[in-house]
Amino acid sequence: MTDIAQGSPEIVTEQPAKFAMGKSMKRKEDPRFLQGKGNYIDDINLKGQLYMALVHSPYPHANIRGIDSSEAMKIPGAVAVVTSKELNAYNVGWLPTFHGLDKQMVLADGKVLYQYQEVAAVYAETREAAYDMIELVEVDYEPLEVVNNPFKAMKDDVLLRPDREAKTNHIYNWNVGDQGATDAALATSDHVVKQHVVFPRVHAAPLEPCGCIAEFDVMGRLQFYVTSQAPHVYRTALFLVLGIPEDKIRVISPDLGGGFGNKVPVYPGYVCAIAGALVLQRPVKWIETRTENLTSSFARDYHMDIEIGATKEGKLTALKVNTVADHGAFDAAADPSKYPAGMFGIVSGSYDFPVAYANLDAYFTNKQPGGVAYRCSFRVTEASYLIERAMDIVADELKMDPTELRRKNFIQKEQFPYKSPLNFTYDSGDYEHTMDVALEKIGYKQLLEEQAEKRARGELMGIGISTFTEVTGAGPSKHFDILGIKMFDGAEIRIHPSGSGIIRTGTKSQGQGHETTWAQIVAEELGLDPQNFLVEEGDTDTAPYGLGTYASRSTPVAGGALALAARKIREKARKIAAHVLEVSEHDLEWKDYAFHVMGAPGKTITMKEVAFAAYTNPGDNEPGLEATLYYDPPNMVFPHGTYVAVVDVDRDTGETKVRRFLAVDDAGTIINPMIVEGQIHGGLTEGFAIAFMQEIAYDEAGNNLATNFTDYLIPTSLESPHWETAATCTPSPHHPIGAKSVGESPNVGSPAAFVNAVIDALSPLGVRHIDMPLTREKVWAAIRTAENAVAAD
Amino acid sequence: MNEVNVSMKINGKTVTGSVESRVLLAHFIREQGGLTGTHVGCDSSSCGVCTVLLDGYTPVKSCTMYAVMADGHEITTVESLAVGGKLHPMQQAFWDQHGLQCGYCTPGMMLSSIALLKQNPNPTEHEIREGLSGNLCRCTGYNNIVKAVQQAAQVMNQPELAAAADD
C-alpha cells in the first residue's frame, strides 16, 4: 500500500505498528522538486509585471535630510520611486508588529535606525533597470550617535525612538515566578552557581530568499503571491494595514525553499510591492537579495545571567535568570501577544526546581529589527541552551558527572502533568529513560574511560550532554493569539466517491513534508490509502483559516485538527454504513480500519465502500462525505530529548572536530520516521552552525558584519558531522494522535550539547565557559589564556 | 545598455536571445530558456543552488557566469534528467533516500553529484562530502544526500540494477 523508502531510516521507534502512520512512506511532493518543477516565488511571473528594488541605508543611525530621485528616474525603464512621504499619504507608512507592542517603519520616515534599513522603493520595467535606479537615488544623511548594544541603550543617553510615547529605549519588562522565594532559597543554598551566557544574534537564512508579487486584478482584488509561513495571518494583517476587506485579498504562498522562521514576518518590501501595484496598476515583483535577506530580521540576541542553587548532594534548590534582550530598532518579534518573551519560561527545563524566577528587559538598539524564530518555538532555544549549559557548570562546581546531576533532578515520569515554577503544565515525559537510551547507545562508560586515558596524555576530548525539554504547539486560545487571532488551526477533508480525497489545512510546509504526513494521519483514521490524498496548503481562497507553520505547531495543532476532522467523517460514515448493512449504527464498531457488525462475524464494510455509498446510496443520510474542523488545543506539548556530542579539540589550533553526535528524541507518536529523522538531521546541522560558526555581529560603529554567505556561514557537507538518531515514545496524553513535535528539537537541544562538549574538553585547563559561536579563534584564545594563567601561577 | 545576441544549447535545444551583456547565465536559463529548475540563492557563488553542467559534465555556478560567457556552449539543467517520465538514477536515489526537503538546493545538488560520479564512479563518503561542498543544503544535514549519491553510484555502475528497477 504505502511506498516505503528504500533507505529506511536508522531511527527506531518504540511505538506500536499502525496502518498508515509510523511508516517511512516516500514523500508525495518529491517528484516535482526532483524534476525542477517546484513552483517557488521567483518562478512566478505575471504579464506586465514591474520589478521593484529597495534603497538601503549605509548608516546605522541618521537623520534623512532629503531624497532626490531625479537622476534615478532618468534610467531607461524607470517607472517610479516611492519614499515614506508617498506611503504616509496613503496612511501605510508604518506597520503594526505581530505581537502589537510596537509599530515599524515601512520606509525610513525622517530617520534611519539601522544599517540596511529600507529607505526608498524603486519600480522599473526590468530587474536590471531597477538595480541601476537604486544606485542613483540620492539620500542626504546626517549621521547620529550609534547605540550598538543594549547595555548602552539602557543608559538612555541617546533616545532611539522619539516617535514613541515612552521616552526611553526600554521596551518592556517581563517576569514570571516567585522572586522572593527564589532569593530566599538561593540565600540558604549550599552552593550558588552564577554564569553570564550570551546567545548571539543569528539568522535563519533559508536558501530561498523572501519575495512577492502583488497584483490588483480587473475586479480590484489583490492577488498576493508571497513567501509566507502563515498566509492567513498575512491576509488579516493586510486588512488591518491597508484596510482592504479580506474577500478582496487572496494570499498565495507557493512552494517555499525553506523558512525556519524567516518567512513569518510581514516585511516592508511586501507593503512597498502592494503599494506600487495599487498606484501603478501593474503587477509588482520583488525578490530579496541575499544581503537583504540577512539584514532584515534576526533571531536570539539574549544576554542572560543565571543563578542556580544546589545542596551539597546536588539537589537543585532554586533558579534565577535575568535577561537583557536586544530587539534592534523596532520590536518586531513575532511572539504571541501575551508572551513578549515567547516561551522563555521553559528555562527551568527538565528539572524539578522547587522555586524559580525569570526576569527580562528588552531594549531598542541600532540594529536590524526582529526577534523572530530560527527553527524555534518563541525563545525556547535561548531558554534550553541556558539551562543545559548551566547544568554542566553546576555539575563541574559540585564535581559531579553531568548525567548524575541531571538524573538526580529530573522531573519524574509520575509527576506529570507537572506544574513548573514558571507556570507551564508539562504534559508528559520520561526524561530518565530517554537519557538511559542515549547513554547506552553512545557507549557513555567507554567514552569516559577513553577520555580519562586521553586526558592523562594531555589530549582534549569532550563529551557534551543536553537533556532538553521544549514547549511547542501554540496554542490554547485562552493564552495564545497573534494580532488578536487565537492560535487554532483548521482542517478540511473531502472524501471522493472512489475513496480518495483532498485535504486542506491552514498550515504551510516549507520542506516539512505535509503533503505526505497529513495524508498519513487521515489515512490512519479512515483506513484509506494515503497515496490517494491530495494535500493543499497556502491558498487563502481555498484553505481553512489557520495560523501557519512555525514554532513547531503544525502537527500539534493542525495535525490534531486533521485527526478530529477525520473522526467526524468516520461518525458520518457510521450512519451510511449502518444504512448499507441494514443495521443500527449502534450495532457497528470501528475495528481494524473497517466497520463491523458486532456479533456478526464477516459482516463488514470498508471506508472505501462507505465513500462510494455516500454518493450512490446514502439512504436518509445527507449525501457526501466531508468535514471541516477547527482545533483549539487544550495544552501545549512538551517534546524532549537527550543529545550527546563527542568532540576532539586540537590543543595547538583550537579546531574542534565533532567525532560523534547522537540525538535521542521523544516526540510522542511519530507519523513518518523517515521524515522525522530528516528533520532531526537538518536541525542538528543548523544547531551545529549556531554553536560553531554563525553570528550576526556588529562593530562599534554599528556596521553589520554578516551580510552574505561568505561572512555568515552555512555548514557544507564537509564540516557537517555524521548524525546518529534514535527515538523514545511518550505520547502526548491530550493530543488526538499522541503526537508532539520534532522539527525544532534538534536546533533547540543541540547547541548546548556542542558547547558542553567543547567546554568539557577544555575543563582540565580550567576553562568554564565560552560564548557561541565557538570558532577556532575563540577556542584557541581560551586555551592559550588558560595555559598562560597556569604558567603565571 | 547595449544588448548582445547570445545563443547556447540548453538540454540539447538551441536557445537564442538578445540580452544585456551583464545578464547572468542563471537568469538567461530561467527567462530566455523558460527553465526554472535552476535557482538563485546567494548572489555570491556560495550556495550552489544555481549549479548547471557546462559542455558535458563541468559543474558551474550559473549566477556567477554571464550568459555571454556561455555563448556557443552546451548547458545541462535539471529538466533534462528525467527521460520520458522515468527518473534519472540520481533523482530516484534522492527520492528513495529522502535526500531533499524543501527542494530548493536539489537540482544543483543532483547535477554536482552527477558530475562527481562522472569523475569518480565509486566515491567514499568523504569524497562525496568533499565533492558536494560547493552546494549548500539547509534542510537535510547532508546524511541522506550522501546515502542518495551512494545509491546512485551503485545503480549507475551496474546498469542491470537500473534495468531491474524498471520491472
Side-chain angles (χ1 to χ4, degrees), chain A residues 46-96:
Chain A
L46 300 182
K47 202 169 168 225
Q49 71 190 12
L50 296 171
Y51 291 83
M52 187 184 94
L54 295 169
V55 176
H56 296 273
S57 170
Y59 292 97
H61 194 198
N63 286 324
I64 295 178
R65 286 191 288 223
I67 300 175
D68 180 358
S69 54
S70 54
E71 287 301 310
M73 286 303 293
K74 290 178 189 160
I75 295 283
V79 173
V81 177
V82 164
T83 66
S84 64
K85 198 173 123 198
E86 288 75 30
L87 294 179
N88 284 333
Y90 283 87
N91 215 12
V92 293
W94 293 68
L95 267 171

Side-chain angles (χ1 to χ4, degrees), chain A residues 577-601:
Chain A
H579 163 70
V580 173
L581 294 173
E582 298 179 321
V583 295
S584 155
E585 60 177 290
H586 304 295
D587 294 332
L588 290 174
E589 69 171 336
W590 176 257
K591 207 178 82 182
D592 299 332
Y593 307 98
F595 289 109
H596 299 263
V597 179
M598 287 184 279

